[in-house]
Amino acid sequence: MKKFLVSILAAFILIGMSNACAAENFAVEVLELVNVERAKVGVAPLRLADDLQNASAIRAREIVQYFSHTRPDGSSCFTVMRNKGWACGENIAAGNAAAYETVNQWMNSQGHRENILNPNFRELGVGYAYDDYSEYRHYWVQLFRG
């Protein structure tokens, strides 16, 4: 019985590590795709910021439960950011399993596209969450800061 419980615990740890690795890989892929779009219109590339990465991971988990720019506690999405800078933005999306599909979805939405191409933004955080028992399963967040 003890070996069985250890095996179950190890499986949960590996699944959690796998999800964390997937989220990190997705962040780099989203950053690259976004910077391609920015280059097309002559806007400087964004860079990933660790604190925005952490904040966007929190937001991704939150939108699984409450898909909104308002946080589950009723506060603004930007309250997740410790350092807001002088300009900030948020894009959320759900349902797509691939980063390129999600960036394409954002680029085909005026408000999301404006955030991606905003020359005032310099930094990006990308969050991804997967929940097999939720409505859309795949949840994406971009946090921008200028």
Side-chain angles (χ1 to χ4, degrees):
M1 180 67 164
K2 187 175 180 180
K3 285 184 180 181
F4 175 74
L5 292 175
V6 170
S7 296
I8 295 295
L9 179 60
F12 281 117
I13 291 170
L14 288 174
I15 289 168
M17 290 171 56
S18 175
N19 287 340
C21 289
E24 186 176 324
N25 290 339
F26 283 147
V28 171
E29 187 176 354
V30 167
L31 175 70
E32 290 171 355
L33 293 165
V34 163
N35 282 337
V36 165
E37 296 299 332
R38 289 172 68 88
K40 289 178 186 177
V41 296
V43 177
L46 298 172
R47 70 171 189 82
L48 291 178
D50 289 340
D51 64 318
L52 291 181
Q53 284 292 101
N54 293 334
S56 63
I58 291 168
R59 287 291 296 136
R61 289 189 302 274
E62 288 179 350
I63 67 171
V64 171
Q65 302 304 316
Y66 187 62
F67 190 78
S68 173
H69 292 289
T70 302
R71 297 185 72 191
D73 68 2
S75 64
S76 162
C77 60
F78 302 119
T79 62
V80 75
M81 300 166 67
R82 290 192 176 152
N83 177 8
K84 294 180 184 80
W86 58 276
C88 53
E90 180 186 66
N91 285 349
I92 61 176
N96 294 312
Y100 74 90
E101 293 173 326
T102 304
V103 172
N104 188 51
Q105 179 182 356
W106 282 325
M107 289 302 293
N108 286 308
S109 164
Q110 183 179 345
H112 296 103
R113 179 184 179 89
E114 288 172 2
N115 276 341
I116 288 171
L117 301 180
N118 187 329
N120 294 318
F121 294 143
R122 298 286 182 228
E123 297 177 303
L124 178 67
V126 178
Y128 170 81
Y130 177 83
D131 186 328
D132 199 30
Y133 300 102
S134 64
E135 183 175 357
Y136 299 109
R137 294 188 177 168
H138 304 275
Y139 297 84
W140 301 82
V141 174
Q142 289 180 307
L143 289 173
F144 300 89
R145 181 170 57 209

